[in-house]
Amino acid sequence: MWPILCRSCIRKLIGRNAKISLQSFNKARSSKTDEIKVYNTLTRGIQPLLLTEEHIVKWYMCGPTVYDEAHIGHACTYVRFDIIRRILKNIFKKNVVMVMGITDIDDKIINKASQEGSDISAVTRRYEDTFWHDMTSLSVERPTVVTRVTEYIPQIQLFIGQLIDKGSAYKSPSGSVYFDVEHHGSDDKLCSHTSQEIYESENYNGEKKNQRDFVLWKASKPGEPWWPSPWGQGRPGWHIECSVMASSLFGSAVDIHAGGEDLIFPHHQNELSQSEAFHGCHQWVNYWLHSEYFRSPVFKRRSKQDVQVTEECH
């Protein structure tokens, strides 16, 4: 049986940090300046927050893949960013437009539906509802806009088609489409080459031009859900979904892109590469914010996925 973490337990673990953050920002404001500074993964340093529009914060947040219950890692990430969002809104009086993308088609979701003998949409609806219930129990404010991958299939296909037209992507014999890293120009804006090399060595297949290339459109396997496309039956790859959903609402200039630090590579690095190739720009996102892993001696022997979020102790 999984251990249960109640709302009061979570507040004891991370609520104290929230209070400290708010106090420090209040002090900063009362001591001559309204300047906001953030740690930016892109520059690996603390920088003033300069917005593309003076009083509007365009913020894209990676949401959960809805195949299971929310765990302590989700709780920490979304509570921490909720604190930052409230600071921007309530102390600095910024209009924060937060878009959260929900992954509702993925290998893990397909496997879960198969195990349960359920329809995929039934699985994703159930776990998304549970996620929102848990976030509400933690007093995390809802995003301004919620997007879901399955609602953006036409936009995803158009995005991929334009990358192919630009020479930044190619179709494989199987009907999958890959991003051409060499054509775009290899970079390590968000991560080290060492991280990339380890991942690439574990995820190489023979149909890619280069082992660093990553999938944009996955050809369907027997029994998997699929959508028709110019390249054959298939579904979106993981990284393309956030690029498309963020670009559809914010275009080629995003102020903040946020998520857990486990997403820095490969997800955010690949997302950044394909988006800059699509938009023809050198900086699609100005500030990448990442929440560190949850660390506590109480749970050091347990995986974060083994600690559920619930409203009451049992």
Side-chain angles (χ1 to χ4, degrees):
M1 182 175 178
W2 286 4
I4 302 298
L5 193 68
C6 67
R7 179 170 54 182
S8 62
C9 296
I10 291 173
R11 282 180 173 164
K12 286 178 183 176
L13 288 168
I14 55 182
R16 191 176 303 140
N17 291 334
K19 186 176 181 182
I20 290 169
S21 298
L22 285 167
Q23 287 176 341
S24 64
F25 265 91
N26 275 317
K27 287 178 181 176
R29 193 172 186 213
S30 63
S31 60
K32 302 184 185 177
T33 180
D34 286 341
E35 187 178 74
I36 309 167
K37 293 183 179 180
V38 297
Y39 182 86
N40 188 358
T41 306
L42 186 66
T43 61
R44 296 160 177 81
I46 297 173
Q47 291 184 297
L49 180 64
L50 304 176
L51 305 174
T52 52
E53 297 181 51
E54 186 177 359
H55 296 294
I56 300 174
V57 181
K58 294 181 285 186
W59 183 336
Y60 182 83
M61 170 74 73
C62 283
T65 300
V66 283
Y67 72 98
D68 208 341
E69 307 285 348
H71 53 65
I72 186 63
H74 293 124
C76 284
T77 294
Y78 296 117
V79 168
R80 287 165 176 167
F81 285 124
D82 185 68
I83 293 166
I84 296 173
R85 182 187 185 188
R86 289 170 187 263
I87 290 169
L88 291 172
K89 286 171 55 181
N90 300 331
I91 297 177
F92 293 100
K93 308 303 180 185
K94 302 298 181 184
N95 179 11
V96 181
V97 180
M98 177 182 282
V99 176
M100 180 181 285
I102 302 290
T103 299
D104 61 351
I105 183 66
D106 180 85
D107 290 336
K108 293 176 181 177
I109 295 171
I110 294 170
N111 293 338
K112 188 75 167 189
S114 177
Q115 291 168 10
E116 295 184 352
S118 302
D119 181 71
I120 285 175
S121 61
V123 170
T124 57
R125 281 196 302 269
R126 181 170 78 250
Y127 287 119
E128 185 182 339
D129 288 346
T130 300
F131 171 77
W132 293 124
H133 173 79
D134 290 338
M135 293 303 104
T136 299
S137 75
L138 296 170
S139 299
V140 173
E141 291 186 350
R142 287 259 186 150
T144 316
V145 179
V146 176
T147 59
R148 299 170 186 84
V149 178
T150 56
E151 298 169 355
Y152 278 78
I153 300 298
Q155 294 93 325
I156 288 170
Q157 292 184 1
L158 287 171
F159 196 102
I160 294 171
Q162 290 194 41
L163 286 175
I164 293 174
D165 292 343
K166 290 171 178 282
S168 295
Y170 58 91
K171 177 185 174 182
S172 72
S174 71
S176 292
V177 178
Y178 291 91
F179 184 77
D180 191 332
V181 172
E182 289 299 320
H183 182 274
H184 171 66
S186 177
D187 59 52
D188 58 347
K189 288 184 177 181
L190 296 180
C191 63
S192 68
H193 283 302
T194 302
S195 300
Q196 296 184 36
E197 288 163 2
I198 292 171
Y199 179 82
E200 290 152 9
S201 66
E202 296 173 349
N203 291 272
Y204 182 66
N205 69 50
E207 68 175 14
K208 297 194 288 187
K209 290 181 179 179
N210 187 294
Q211 70 179 45
R212 302 180 72 178
D213 296 349
F214 54 89
V215 69
L216 304 175
W217 184 261
K218 300 179 74 170
S220 62
K221 298 175 183 177
E224 288 187 346
W226 55 268
W227 286 263
S229 81
W231 320 288
Q233 297 175 354
R235 57 188 171 89
W238 177 29
H239 315 303
I240 194 69
E241 60 191 49
C242 290
S243 288
V244 173
M245 292 188 291
S247 295
S248 294
L249 293 164
F250 294 141
S252 60
V254 181
D255 292 314
I256 295 174
H257 195 312
E261 69 174 345
D262 56 313
L263 299 180
I264 295 174
F265 188 85
H267 186 49
H268 287 167
Q269 178 60 58
N270 291 348
E271 191 185 338
L272 181 154
S273 295
Q274 67 197 7
S275 297
E276 292 184 351
F278 176 85
H279 292 294
C281 64
H282 296 291
Q283 191 160 306
W284 175 55
V285 172
N286 289 331
Y287 300 89
W288 291 87
L289 307 188
H290 292 99
S291 170
E292 288 192 346
Y293 293 114
F294 172 73
R295 295 179 176 88
S296 169
V298 178
F299 303 110
K300 65 182 179 180
R301 295 184 180 179
R302 304 179 192 265
S303 166
K304 68 179 181 180
Q305 286 86 355
D306 292 339
V307 184
Q308 288 178 297
V309 179
T310 189
E311 193 163 352
E312 298 178 355
C313 287
H314 297 281

